Amino acid sequence: MKEDDPRVKVGKFLEDKHLIIASNRGPVEFKKDNKGNIQLKRGAGGLVSTLQPLMEAVNGTWVASAMSLVDAEVADQYPENRVPITPDDPKFTVPFVVVDRKRYEYFYSVISNPLLWFVQHYMWNPPYTPEIDQHIHLAWKEGYSYVNKLFSEKILEEVERTNKEPVIILQDYHLYLCPALIRQELEDIFLSQFIHIPWPQPDYFSMLPSYMEEAIIRGLLSNDIVGFHIPRYACNFLMTCEKYADLVDYYQQKVIFEGRVIQVKSYPISVDDEGIKNFAASQEVKEKEKLIKELKGDNILIYRTDRADLSKNIIRGFRAYDLFLEKHPEYRGKVKFLTTGKPTRQQIKEYRDYHTEIQRTIGEINSKHLKDGWKPIEHIFKADYALVLAAFKNYDCLIVNPISDGMNIVPKEASVVNEQNGVLILSDKAGCYDELKEYSLNVNPFDVSETAQAFHTALTMDEKEKKERMDGLKDKIRERNIFHWITDQFEDIERLFG
């Protein structure tokens, strides 16, 4: 890291500290190739890119689940499942939490997803779902609570390994119960937790059984700092705390609970803009651009990239495109909608059904509007990141229309490298909406008609306005990149330590 990199200041603060990160998905994963050889792969996402250099600089510890049988196999080769990363040149350590597969399924596929994920993304249909049956109660006890206990025990073991003062940063909704379990053993320890998904309004969150809700709130209020991406989610959380806390102070963004003060803050995550631009200029991405430009041809290119998650609102986006072509048939043969993505959480029925419906919708629209060999939607299955970046560089219109999400960094990644002054269509329910709304065409994600009109507006916008909007997006992202996200948190941690 360069001396003026904001992470350098964080590194200096951590020189005499023991940094412990905990998350369900870790910074690395292990796979087997066709010959059965085990290979180490770096974890995906900006969180790993941001935190891993810090972990290496301070010889930190990242506690994570063994997500696969190969992870568990590798962990078993090391005492107490503490895997050095990398084994031939250790810079930091990943102690894996290895869980029986049935208990892990309870933890991940019954409680974390879909129950908590659906509640926090407003995805349940209250007249019909959720139905909290005995299976869910069992999964909470035997899966979610059990795994959180294992995580807390593993973290406490790591605390005992050094005389340095520990700084523990928990990540996301998988570990809601962990802070309370740690606090029971070490009352004066510093704990911080960042929630990467939305926090809903109290009435919606209360669809959870009361004992689950109370355990979650007590767990989170065992932290010293609870972080969210945007102020609205922090405010929703503060409102949820009202019936449990001694005092909720909205102005100072704090909760007093059992004699302790908990800060509730928002830290909008962003992207590594320079890193993305460097990769976008690589030969690997340039090779992928050949395919994108071949698909685009002389067409106007509309693009979206998402996991097939119900919260991403993919089908309504296609329905809006269908309506746009109905209203403006002159664009048939002149516009191409490219979508890249892959199925996710296919062990959960709702996700399998949604992925099937996406495929059916694409087929229906293509059949309906097919003209002289022109296909209105192209779907590339399981696109790699190099191909996604190639599409980011070449789109004329990008649609990001989730019904709810924590932040959604797709518009930020895409705007950093786009070379066409592409227009962003953005849901007003996206976490990044408040940051980017001035430079995007904003839509209600449930309003298919409004989204169809947004397609037309984007495709007919004059070049001057397109450039002004894109310049605004690029400036906004450059002003606050992902390193500001982490340094802002550590500044608050350092202030509270003092």
Side-chain angles (χ1 to χ4, degrees):
M1 289 184 283
K2 297 179 180 179
E3 189 62 31
D4 61 350
D5 191 307
R7 290 170 292 177
V8 171
K9 180 182 177 183
V10 175
K12 290 179 179 177
F13 164 67
L14 290 170
E15 282 177 353
D16 60 345
K17 308 290 192 303
H18 182 193
L19 177 61
I20 301 173
I21 305 283
S23 61
N24 177 50
R25 187 178 298 276
V28 296
E29 55 185 316
F30 293 92
K31 304 282 187 182
K32 284 188 176 180
D33 62 20
N34 294 334
K35 297 180 180 179
N37 299 314
I38 293 176
Q39 298 178 330
L40 183 151
K41 181 182 177 184
R42 180 172 170 168
L47 187 66
V48 174
S49 300
T50 308
L51 293 178
Q52 185 161 322
L54 280 178
M55 300 296 282
E56 293 174 350
V58 300
N59 192 25
T61 302
W62 195 317
V63 179
S65 290
M67 299 285 291
S68 68
L69 293 175
V70 183
D71 286 348
E73 181 181 336
V74 172
D76 191 51
Q77 297 173 17
Y78 294 89
E80 298 176 288
N81 299 330
R82 303 180 78 251
V83 180
I85 306 300
T86 57
D88 56 342
D89 183 22
K91 296 290 179 59
F92 67 101
T93 305
V94 176
F96 277 110
V97 177
V98 181
V99 186
D100 170 81
R101 286 294 97 184
K102 183 173 183 180
R103 284 184 182 268
Y104 188 82
E105 285 301 304
Y106 277 159
F107 160 76
Y108 187 77
S109 299
V110 180
I111 301 299
S112 297
N113 305 295
L115 184 66
L116 295 179
W117 180 273
F118 274 43
V119 164
Q120 292 191 230
H121 286 82
Y122 295 99
M123 284 164 52
W124 290 120
N125 180 10
Y128 301 98
T129 58
E131 186 171 299
I132 310 294
D133 57 15
Q134 194 58 38
H135 181 63
I136 290 176
H137 289 294
L138 179 65
W140 174 268
K141 179 181 177 182
E142 299 295 330
Y144 192 82
S145 298
Y146 177 79
V147 173
N148 270 255
K149 184 173 183 293
L150 292 185
F151 261 87
S152 68
E153 291 171 350
K154 183 67 74 175
I155 292 167
L156 288 167
E157 288 174 9
E158 295 303 318
V159 169
E160 293 300 316
R161 288 184 179 277
T162 176
N163 293 325
K164 289 184 177 181
E165 190 169 14
V167 176
I168 301 172
I169 303 178
L170 305 163
Q171 300 293 326
D172 230 351
Y173 60 103
H174 310 88
L175 303 178
Y176 281 153
L177 309 186
C178 228
L181 295 168
I182 296 170
R183 185 74 67 187
Q184 285 174 10
E185 300 299 321
L186 296 172
E187 185 176 344
D188 295 329
I189 201 165
F190 184 89
L191 295 169
S192 176
Q193 188 158 1
F194 193 89
I195 312 304
H196 291 268
I197 64 175
W199 192 275
Q201 294 179 337
D203 285 350
Y204 200 88
F205 193 72
S206 69
M207 284 197 294
L208 294 175
S210 57
Y211 76 91
M212 290 187 190
E213 180 187 70
E214 182 174 357
I216 289 169
I217 299 303
R218 284 184 171 274
L220 286 171
L221 292 182
S222 296
N223 289 291
D224 296 285
I225 299 177
V226 180
F228 298 90
H229 282 303
I230 61 175
R232 183 170 76 250
Y233 302 152
C235 184
N236 286 346
F237 177 72
L238 288 169
M239 287 192 289
T240 308
C241 293
E242 287 274 10
K243 62 182 177 182
Y244 301 101
D246 302 314
L247 174 70
V248 175
D249 187 328
Y250 293 89
Y251 179 72
Q252 296 190 43
Q253 297 179 290
K254 68 181 183 181
V255 177
I256 297 178
F257 178 69
E258 295 185 344
R260 297 178 50 259
V261 178
I262 301 93
Q263 294 289 148
V264 179
K265 302 289 292 291
S266 58
Y267 307 94
I269 201 169
S270 190
V271 297
D272 177 5
D273 53 329
E274 290 302 322
I276 292 171
K277 284 190 283 190
N278 289 339
F279 186 33
S282 69
Q283 191 59 39
E284 182 181 358
V285 173
K286 288 178 181 177
E287 286 296 317
K288 300 290 185 178
E289 278 193 88
K290 295 176 183 178
L291 172 59
I292 297 299
K293 289 179 177 179
E294 182 181 339
L295 283 172
K296 182 176 181 179
D298 296 327
N299 291 292
I300 300 166
L301 184 65
I302 298 172
Y303 182 54
R304 82 170 301 141
T305 183
D306 293 295
R307 293 175 295 109
D309 190 289
L310 288 77
S311 67
K312 300 302 181 183
N313 202 30
I314 295 168
I315 292 172
R316 285 194 186 92
F318 288 142
R319 291 297 178 202
Y321 178 60
D322 179 26
L323 181 58
F324 161 75
L325 291 175
E326 284 183 3
K327 288 187 172 183
H328 302 281
E330 67 273 16
Y331 280 95
R332 293 179 185 175
K334 297 179 180 178
V335 63
K336 177 80 69 174
F337 195 140
L338 170 64
T339 179
T340 60
K342 58 183 179 181
T344 185
R345 299 168 182 160
Q346 290 298 284
Q347 72 274 30
I348 299 170
K349 181 180 183 301
E350 288 88 349
Y351 285 86
R352 293 196 301 272
D353 292 347
Y354 194 65
H355 182 244
T356 299
E357 183 63 16
I358 289 170
Q359 302 303 309
R360 192 193 67 78
T361 302
I362 291 172
E364 177 188 314
I365 294 171
N366 280 341
S367 297
K368 179 178 178 180
H369 296 288
L370 196 67
K371 175 184 177 182
D372 299 328
W374 168 77
K375 189 164 62 171
I377 300 175
E378 293 281 355
H379 182 203
I380 299 179
F381 185 69
K382 289 189 176 179
D384 58 40
Y385 190 55
L387 184 66
V388 170
L389 275 182
F392 282 165
K393 292 173 72 173
N394 289 279
Y395 70 81
D396 300 291
C397 175
L398 177 74
I399 178 169
V400 180
N401 66 322
I403 60 173
S404 181
D405 57 24
M407 173 52 69
N408 202 315
I409 62 171
V410 166
K412 298 185 178 186
E413 293 177 303
S415 300
V416 163
V417 298
N418 183 258
E419 298 173 351
Q420 308 298 320
N421 291 327
V423 180
L424 170 62
I425 297 175
L426 183 64
S427 162
D428 61 12
K429 305 299 187 290
C432 59
Y433 168 75
D434 284 342
E435 285 185 272
L436 307 183
K437 63 184 178 183
E438 184 179 352
Y439 307 108
S440 55
L441 295 178
N442 306 310
V443 296
N444 180 319
F446 304 100
D447 192 334
V448 172
S449 180
E450 182 182 44
T451 307
Q453 179 57 47
F455 280 129
H456 186 257
T457 301
L459 272 51
T460 56
M461 187 178 293
D462 66 68
E463 291 300 320
K464 181 175 181 292
E465 183 178 354
K466 287 166 62 176
K467 186 176 186 307
E468 288 173 351
R469 287 173 178 267
M470 180 54 71
D471 287 346
L473 288 168
K474 290 179 185 292
D475 288 345
K476 183 71 88 172
I477 296 157
R478 184 168 54 250
E479 288 166 6
R480 182 181 173 81
N481 61 31
I482 195 167
F483 306 122
H484 294 91
W485 174 75
I486 192 63
T487 52
D488 286 353
Q489 291 178 68
F490 273 100
E491 283 177 2
D492 282 343
I493 291 171
E494 186 174 6
R495 177 176 54 82
L496 291 177
F497 254 102

